[in-house]
Structure formats: C-alpha cells, structure tokens
C-alpha cells in the first residue's frame, strides 16, 4: 500500500533555530498538506499546496512558516525561528481527487520539540 | 466555518460494542473519515464513508451516517484492549483537494 513518508520521526531544536521537516508524498498525488497536533489537542490544518504554490493556509501558517517542493518527490515545511509553542506533532498528507475516498493519506508524523 | 464535534471519552468492557459519535456542520461534506491514533503515534485511517451512503461495514467496524442530522457514528464490535486509542472523526468537502477538518477526538478506554 502506498505510504507518505516523513523524516525525521523526532526532532529536538533550540528556540530561535530553523527547522526543516521533510515528507515524501505518494508518487502520483498532486495535492499536499501539512497539519499540526499540539499534545492532547485536535489535528489542525496548516497549509495545502498544489502546482508549486500554496492553495490555502490557516491563520497558524504565518511568516515563520514556508513550504517547498524542491524536487519531484520531496515536500518540506520550514519554520524559520522556532518558538516553544511550535512544539507539536507535524503531519504531512497527500491526496488524489480521482481516487475513492480521495486517497487522503497521512504520514506517521514528525514530533518537534522546541527547548 | 466547518466544525466537527465528538464526546471526549468512552469507556467499555472488553468484548462489548463501542459506539463513538460525531456531529459535523458542513453540509457540503463528501467523505467522512474515521482515524485511529495510538499514544505517540500517527493517524491510521480506519474507514471512510461517502456522503450518499447510510451505512458501511468493514469487519468489526460499522459506520452509520445520518446526513439530515449531520451525525456520524463508528461502532466497534467485540471491542479488544488493542482498540484503546483516540478516534478522530473528520470530514472533507467536495473536490478532494481541500483541507480535512478533524473532530476533537474520543479517547476509548477498553477495560479487560
């Protein structure tokens, strides 16, 4: 079964540092997403990406965040200057509107801890 | 905006059936999903139902959808201790390229 792969599984960083979270979406999917889950809370949408540009972003996705598809397989989330409140699990997802259920598939997540 | 609500906690005895309920507000929802999250782990898609269906059964799982009341439920038959987890209801509007809106999650505790 196709998977969305995320690396690393856990990242610890110091406040103010830049982090890049990496994702490899399912190869034939064209829509990509990042979500965030603060410990004990619900999963929140951050951003969606299609055709090399952001298609929708939430209020959480401020100027500190950026996304990129640097090549044909990777999709990255960059946080420029991390804050303590950025500590969360970050999930990448991809979808294909042509599939049953839209093929909406989540990765296993990267746990980001900002100290 | 869209809103998806769930009760926070459910406790059942092993072998009993569990029913987890969810209400949503977006009438344009096309698919409704159930995800399972074990402690410290990712989101595992359990099942989904298309909005023009009333029921879907998949082994021990039964999904019921009342579109008029915007109410979704997940029934787990013969609940096992391995079913202990947080269950998220989620919905997506038409198109398949938009964001998924998650519910608050229901923590299911299975008592041996």
């Amino acid at each position: 079964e196709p998977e969305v792969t995320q690396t690393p599984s856990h990242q610890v960083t110091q406040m103010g540092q830049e982090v890049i979270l990496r994702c490899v979406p399912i190869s034939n999917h064209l829509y990509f997403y990042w979500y965030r889950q603060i410990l004990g809370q619900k999963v929140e949408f951050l951003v969606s990406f299609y055709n090399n540009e952001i298609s929708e972003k939430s209020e959480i996705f401020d100027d500190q965040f950026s996304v990129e598809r640097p090549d044909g397989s990777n999709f990255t989330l960059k946080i420029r200057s991390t804050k303590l409140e950025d500590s969360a699990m970050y999930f990448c997802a991809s979808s294909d509107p042509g599939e049953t259920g839209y093929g909406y598939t989540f990765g296993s997540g990267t746990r980001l801890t900002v100290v | 905006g869209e809103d998806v609500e769930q009760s926070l906690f459910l406790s059942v005895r092993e072998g009993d059936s569990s029913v987890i309920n969810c209400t949503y507000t977006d009438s344009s929802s096309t698919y409704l999903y159930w995800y399972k999250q074990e402690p410290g782990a990712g989101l595992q898609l359990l099942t989904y139902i298309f909005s023009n269906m009333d029921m879907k059964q998949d082994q021990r799982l039964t999904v019921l959808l009342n579109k008029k009341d915007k109410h979704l439920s997940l029934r787990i038959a013969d609940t096992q201790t391995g079913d202990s987890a947080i269950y998220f209801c989620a919905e997506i509007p038409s198109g398949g390229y938009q964001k998924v809106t998650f519910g608050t999650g229901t923590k299911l505790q299975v008592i041996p």
Side-chain angles (χ1 to χ4, degrees):
Chain A
E1 180 131 0
E3 287 184 340
V4 173
T5 306
Q6 290 186 243
T7 54
S9 56
H10 191 186
Q11 174 135 14
V12 181
T13 189
Q14 288 201 321
M15 195 168 54
Q17 294 296 304
E18 175 184 285
V19 293
I20 297 176
L21 309 183
R22 301 179 194 281
C23 170
V24 178
I26 292 174
S27 60
N28 61 328
H29 284 185
L30 299 177
Y31 296 88
F32 314 116
Y33 315 85
W34 285 100
Y35 289 77
R36 179 182 83 173
Q37 184 185 32
I38 294 172
L39 186 65
Q41 298 186 24
K42 67 194 289 186
V43 180
E44 302 172 290
F45 168 77
L46 289 179
V47 65
S48 57
F49 190 88
Y50 170 71
N51 201 25
N52 282 322
E53 61 182 29
I54 291 172
S55 44
E56 185 180 357
K57 60 183 180 180
S58 70
E59 291 175 355
I60 304 166
F61 195 88
D62 62 22
D63 291 344
Q64 292 299 312
F65 291 89
S66 62
V67 289
E68 195 178 31
R69 187 153 164 83
D71 53 43
S73 59
N74 289 284
F75 179 51
T76 62
L77 174 70
K78 182 193 289 186
I79 310 174
R80 286 192 187 81
S81 177
T82 49
K83 304 190 268 290
L84 293 176
E85 54 265 36
D86 294 327
S87 294
M89 183 79 100
Y90 289 81
F91 293 105
C92 174
S94 66
S95 73
D96 178 358
E99 289 184 26
T100 305
Y102 298 142
Y104 219 107
T105 305
F106 285 83
S108 52
T110 293
R111 181 169 297 284
L112 176 66
T113 304
V114 182
V115 296
Chain B
E2 306 88 357
D3 196 20
V4 181
E5 295 289 336
Q6 299 176 240
S7 52
L8 291 180
F9 189 75
L10 177 66
S11 180
V12 299
R13 293 211 170 272
E14 190 174 18
D16 288 349
S17 292
S18 309
V19 179
I20 302 171
N21 294 300
C22 169
T23 57
Y24 60 98
T25 58
D26 189 352
S27 56
S28 70
S29 299
T30 49
Y31 281 103
L32 295 124
Y33 305 101
W34 282 103
Y35 287 89
K36 177 183 179 183
Q37 186 180 38
E38 296 183 25
L43 296 163
Q44 176 193 352
L45 178 65
L46 285 178
T47 187
Y48 59 85
I49 188 167
F50 191 54
S51 58
N52 68 353
M53 296 170 66
D54 298 322
M55 186 182 89
K56 181 179 179 182
Q57 185 147 7
D58 185 0
Q59 299 182 340
R60 290 192 298 124
L61 305 178
T62 303
V63 179
L64 294 178
L65 174 62
N66 182 328
K67 197 171 180 182
K68 176 174 163 289
D69 294 338
K70 299 193 183 74
H71 182 266
L72 181 75
S73 68
L74 174 70
R75 179 176 179 270
I76 306 173
D78 187 25
T79 313
Q80 304 296 307
T81 54
D83 295 324
S84 292
I86 298 176
Y87 290 80
F88 291 97
C89 163
E91 64 90 19
I92 187 169
S94 63
Y97 49 83
Q98 300 186 59
K99 65 184 181 188
V100 171
T101 300
F102 284 84
T104 45
T106 299
K107 184 171 183 177
L108 174 65
Q109 179 187 46
V110 182
I111 304 165

